[in-house]
Amino acid sequence: MHTYTLHLSGLGESWGFQEDHAFEQSINLLELMDLAVEWGLDGLHITNVDLVTLDPERLAEVKAAAKAHDLYLEYNVSFDAPCDPRVNSTVKDALLNAKAMGADLVKFSLDIERPRPLYGTCMHPDVMRQLAVRYDEFKENLPLLEELGLTLSIENHCDAYADEVIWLVKQLNHPQVGACVDTMNAMNVLEGPEACIEKMAPYANCCHFCDIELVVDPDGVHSYGTSIGKGDLDCAKILRTLRENAPLDRITFEVEYEIGNETLEVAREKEMQACLDSIDYLRNTLKVGVREVNQPVHAKA
């Protein structure tokens, strides 16, 4: 599970606000590890926000806790996050911190500033110049990636087309470098999710599996995060595409719950319920993480 799923509870990161907004933590990372075991999960996709501090003692504590809970860790960082700079890191620091906390994969958002109007800007010269800068930093750190034995994943975050991520992965041309395909982010650059997923699947070494609800009203078109299986993405088809075409042995599920007219406390309760609903759908409908007969059924996320 991506800890952003509990962003209202102060985990993950604060994303998409008009100005910096950090929710106070009502649950910490070690408490979440307890829940992950209770929920039958296999791992967590975490950020600097969950870690609170990057002191060596803290990273060692997290590594030991993950081992004690039998959880794998993935590390999610950005270069220049527009809403929450706490998640920012250089490539070198991210790799070193990941190793220190026992994570096996580091996922990077590219944080590209796109030209306007947005439509039709895939591989735009302004974008390619920025990708070249990202390429140089990734390339410089490939020897360190090899030395540490980590996997690096580049996401189609809300500012990158599938073709741009694939171009960067192919230019780096390294077996430990791949793409992180987010199942809903394509819409933020006016790209069809299905086409994006089909393109990226063969390069994917990581996946943010999420759903979204689209609402059209007199004020325009809106998208809302929702429990997996309750939105407008064909999750069964997406999973089939990933199973058939992506070199993945696990997925990271992610849910975004927005505060409506309710209080933050009520929203947090609904956010937590969205986790449980998503796990139930993944496990019992999509059969994600189903083990051998007579063994416990887990959602591998």
Side-chain angles (χ1 to χ4, degrees), residues 158-221:
C158 300
D159 48 18
Y161 284 86
D163 285 338
E164 294 166 350
V165 174
I166 292 170
W167 177 85
L168 188 52
V169 169
K170 292 174 74 172
Q171 290 299 314
L172 290 166
N173 190 29
H174 193 283
Q176 291 165 236
V177 176
C180 173
V181 55
D182 186 292
T183 59
M184 60 167 276
N185 276 347
M187 288 188 289
N188 290 281
V189 290
L190 305 180
E191 183 174 22
E194 184 173 338
C196 171
I197 294 163
E198 288 179 351
K199 283 183 178 181
M200 291 186 67
Y203 304 92
N205 58 10
C206 183
C207 173
H208 289 179
F209 198 95
C210 35
D211 204 350
I212 193 169
E213 180 183 5
L214 296 176
V215 176
V216 181
D217 61 29
D219 294 322
V221 180

Side-chain angles (χ1 to χ4, degrees), residues 253-290:
F253 83 84
E254 178 180 342
V255 179
E256 180 165 3
Y257 184 83
E258 292 91 354
I259 301 176
N261 296 321
E262 67 263 305
T263 65
L264 178 59
E265 289 73 21
V266 171
R268 282 172 169 167
E269 292 177 3
K270 292 183 177 180
E271 179 182 67
M272 192 69 72
Q273 186 60 47
C275 291
L276 298 175
D277 292 344
S278 296
I279 293 169
D280 178 73
Y281 177 79
L282 286 165
R283 177 177 296 150
N284 296 313
T285 300
L286 297 189
K287 306 301 181 184
V288 174
V290 174

